[in-house]
Amino acid sequence: MAECGASGSGSSGDSLDKSITLPPDEIFRNLENAKRFAIDIGGSLTKLAYYSTVQHKVARVRSFDHSGKDTEHDHEPPYEISVQEEVTARLHFVKFENTYIEACLDFIKDHLVNTETKVIPATGGGAYKFKDLIEEKLQLKVDKEDVMTCLIKGCNFVLKNIPHEAFMYQKDSDPEFRFQTNHPNIFPYLLVNIGSGVSIVKVRLSSVERVSGGAAVVETEDRFEWIGGSSIGGGTFWGLGALLTKTKKFDELLHLASRGQHTNVDMLVQDIYGGAHETLGLSGNLIASSFGKSATADREFSKEDMAKSLLHMISNDVGQLACLYAKLHCLDRVYFGGFFIRGHPVTMRTITYSINFFSKGEVQALFLRHEGYLGAIGAFLKGAEQDNPNQYSWGENYAGSSGLMSSSPELCPSQRARSGTFDLLEMDRLERPLVNLPLLLDPSSYVPDTVDLTDDALARKYWLTCFEEALDGVVKRAVASQPGSVDAAERAEKFRQKYWDKLQTLRHQPFAYGTLTVRSLLDTREHCLNEFNFPDPYSK
Amino acid sequence: FPWFGLDIGGTLVKLVYFEPKDITAEEEEEEVESLKSIRKYLTSNVAYGSTGIRDVHLELKDLTLCGRKGNLHFIRFPTHDMPAFIQMGRDKNFSSLHTVFCATGGGAYKFEQDFLTIGDLQLCKLDELDCLVKGILYIDSVGFNGRSQCYYFENPADSEKCQKLPFDLKNPYPLLLVNIGSGVSILAVYSKDNYKRVTGTSLGGGTFFGLCCLLTGCTTFEEALEMASRGDSTKVDKLVRDIYGGDYERFGLPGWAVASSFGNMMSKEKREAVSKEDLARATLITITNNIGSIARMCALNECLNVVMCDRVFFIGEVKTLHMWINLTEDKHGYYLEVEEKNINQVIFVGNFLRINTIAMRLLAYALDYWSKGQLKALFSEHEVFLT
């Protein structure tokens, strides 16, 4: 995907037009101590990653052992809460359109204070074109990294660290999104990346024995092999779509497709047989020949119908090939990534349908919540190999992350009103690596939550309202927990606004952060409180 | 008499007519006028109405069929004109001949009622796949006027050295049959009575023709192919070298491979710079590549699962050099298994391939290239009429 809008040498007149109207410090947060950058430049979107540290208060509890002491001292509290300043490592990912790249780079350069970084790993088709610009603006050397390697690294990382990262999409079920619990052993799996073209990759874990410091160490490494592909992918959809409908933008094409009737353009089984083909078990409304009707008639076809037909054509073809490869390699899970999907429901639906059809339900089509970021995550990990990020556990920070489909025009017209769309993902490094509780019989099927709010609409309404109503109380407590602080009230108000917005997002898009549970609502609240330095509102 | 075989497809109707040459004097006297006029009409014309065509070059002479000697004629017309055909049947009093019209294809079901009510003709519906398999075996057994029915291309990529050579279908089974009509059906044939439909794809001849019409404004299939022969698809498609500046070594993809069909059309300038011929060619290449890809995967899958899928007959368009660009199984060992099991030939059948020599050559090349000579693309002269 080497098609990019802005050229490397944008004049300053251009960048004024493309100035970011959203306050940039809300997008590029914690830049002062940023180190380790990575960038993934695609055909139209850029993803920038950086690692930074966030200083915030953490409430630590120290409990005292009074058992042996004499009773005179038993007025002493059994525990003590001390608030300390701590530093958490956080990964930031920002997604924005290529047209803003220069303005963003300028902003970053201006705010970068402490950094020893010399190098920025870059991946994606656009890394070529913007190499000079990046080197000039950020004064960093660009290290080109292979796209697929980054994608796989990113994919493995999110599947391991982010709960409910993968999901199935069934348009007519309720709920539409079915999030998968993180399987402890995800390997081997098939990854189908639908970019301009399609790449089908098998990802395995392999053990490699290394000699390190005199001792033999067995390390597992993710290995992947390219097993096949197709030239009929997102580029075909976009290219043919542009030629047939004169629509230039990818998202507009998808929008047209969602409103079209492909049966006007495609030749169905019933058009040939007058009904179903019973002997072969082919139902009448299956597509026998894509665009089969567009040759014989001398009429015009609507843009919507042609776009829909194209979408089906490509989704069915990719699905079919994916199934053939999955069958050959005896895999039953296929993860889909790439710009063709972008979390668009209509695409996910057609692909899921295709996989179900061609595999007769044996293969599952899975999508990733953070699919767009995989390249940037991978590039980052490649550059940060020395820091060994894989030995830590990472968690999604709900306060800082935008959530799934926050930029989908069908769902969030209000968010579209911002100029340009900036999507964020933030991940905090946890102090200790998380492991499954050893007492669990079967960690992969264990679900700690009793209610699934993405599933149960009534319960969801109840709990969201519950948290909304409780907000006032929490704000008050937060302020009260820090009597000595001057700006506590101000910060508390910001917290209130932030958490309120999150709750509203969840009302409209309950799937935004994966499965919605009471636990995740509590976690979100905690992340928001932490963001405004209220580590423990109940401490006083 | 008259002996007809009809295959009513989505876009085209294929008619096979047996012209008896050994009519005795007695038979001639008994012959009904209408039968005589039908025979005369069919054999003395090469075009019927405005759209019917008899492929004279495919005529099989001196054939023995059910104890009679005669010539087999091959006629085709668009399914669109089916009502006109039925009307003609009525006008020429076909029904008085008490003949059974054997028909297959989707249209046999769709038009059954019309045949009955308008033409007063009873159709004997036969299973399409059954006919396809029997047809291919029959046609090979009778040969083509002394020559072999099946052929393949030697040196398909080289315009000068490319040769069409005969191939003898000694041991046909098991084979993978790919039928390319408006859509594509893929069958695994294990013996003459044991076969199954493996899968199909909706990206077939109808797609090629439909897209061409929309993109170039052409009106006939021949026109579309003719345009394609003059075009340059590399202007339309995005190749590996367009993205990586050369080969993509990590995946073993050569720079000339197509990474994204129509990928260059995302850009406005490039859209304005391509010609209709380029677009037609790109469409041809995209569809063929895809069919080849799927056929190959099916061959691999069937082979590994069931029986040695020995031959995959290609009766189809060998359209592009780039066809199996993405299938580098040979690099990863899967092909070795295939080679051992001797997957040899793939047959593509269907109207799509009718006159597409370029395509056929290109397909052969790709097959050969990726399979390192193991897979041969075989073609059948009578590809269209096998059912």
Side-chain angles (χ1 to χ4, degrees), chain A residues 201-373:
Chain A
V201 169
K202 178 175 174 183
V203 187
R204 291 177 292 132
L205 204 59
S206 72
S207 302
V208 174
E209 198 171 296
R210 286 196 211 289
V211 175
S212 147
V217 168
V218 176
E219 278 176 11
T220 48
E221 245 180 28
D222 34 68
R223 281 202 183 285
F224 69 93
E225 50 178 314
W226 186 92
I227 57 173
S230 164
S231 62
I232 299 182
T236 314
F237 178 72
W238 196 341
L240 266 178
L243 287 167
L244 293 171
T245 68
K246 314 276 183 274
T247 306
K248 288 174 249 175
K249 292 197 164 173
F250 187 79
D251 287 322
E252 273 179 50
L253 269 174
L254 278 178
H255 198 49
L256 284 174
S258 67
R259 300 195 317 246
Q261 285 297 328
H262 74 99
T263 50
N264 293 331
V265 177
D266 293 337
M267 190 182 286
L268 307 179
V269 168
Q270 67 200 16
D271 294 321
I272 303 181
Y273 288 86
H277 189 324
E278 270 116 25
T279 346
L280 292 179
L282 297 176
S283 106
N285 51 22
L286 282 178
I287 304 175
S289 177
S290 295
F291 285 90
K293 285 189 179 141
S294 47
T296 47
D298 0 67
R299 47 180 228 259
E300 292 265 309
F301 296 91
S302 82
K303 288 181 182 179
E304 289 82 0
D305 294 345
M306 290 196 287
K308 189 80 196 288
S309 193
L310 259 182
L311 184 66
H312 277 293
M313 187 173 103
I314 292 168
S315 299
N316 281 335
D317 194 54
V318 178
Q320 183 174 32
L321 276 168
C323 286
L324 286 169
Y325 280 101
K327 189 175 172 194
L328 195 63
H329 295 262
C330 305
L331 295 169
D332 61 358
R333 274 170 304 128
V334 179
Y335 293 94
F336 284 92
F339 84 82
F340 182 61
I341 300 170
R342 286 218 263 221
H344 279 263
V346 70
T347 319
M348 292 195 289
R349 181 191 189 179
T350 47
I351 290 179
T352 304
Y353 176 84
S354 171
I355 293 277
N356 279 340
F357 177 79
F358 285 107
S359 72
K360 302 192 184 25
E362 284 172 15
V363 176
Q364 279 183 354
L366 293 164
F367 304 95
L368 300 166
R369 281 200 287 129
H370 297 104
E371 167 277 306
Y373 294 100

